[in-house]
Amino acid sequence: MTAGDQQRLDLPVPVADPMESLEALSVLVVEDNRSDQRLIVEALVEGGVGVDRITCVETLRAARQALVQRPAGCVLLDLSLPDAVGLEG
């Protein structure tokens, strides 16, 4: 039975546990400051993202390569990188 069928029949629709979806989320962190990278990774892990699902790189060029090798569901991009500034990134 689909969620739409359940709604039409006025049955409760099960809601996915948001923590489960975060565990499977792949995140690319593009940050050239190592201490900022570490803080971001800690916050992501505390929020429920699996540490093995986080990739960190320091340049826009490396980010492009990382996305080819391992697509990400979320990209956190520093807007001041050695090879890109602002919205150019």
Side-chain angles (χ1 to χ4, degrees):
M1 182 179 295
T2 68
D5 293 335
Q6 290 175 322
Q7 285 178 335
R8 280 191 293 282
L9 296 171
D10 201 26
L11 297 172
V13 178
V15 177
D17 181 0
M19 295 308 283
E20 285 181 19
S21 61
L22 284 179
E23 289 174 6
L25 179 66
S26 59
V27 179
L28 175 61
V29 177
V30 188
E31 171 59 66
D32 60 328
N33 182 301
R34 293 282 181 156
S35 59
D36 288 348
Q37 270 186 13
R38 189 173 38 258
L39 290 171
I40 293 166
V41 169
E42 287 175 9
L44 289 168
V45 170
E46 285 178 20
V49 177
V51 70
D52 61 323
R53 308 286 297 167
I54 303 169
T55 302
C56 294
V57 297
E58 296 179 0
T59 64
L60 187 60
R61 181 180 180 159
R64 288 182 182 129
Q65 292 171 344
L67 286 170
V68 168
Q69 295 172 355
R70 182 179 180 180
C74 176
V75 177
L76 299 177
L77 177 66
D78 179 359
L79 293 179
S80 179
L81 295 168
D83 60 345
V85 178
L87 296 179
E88 173 190 334

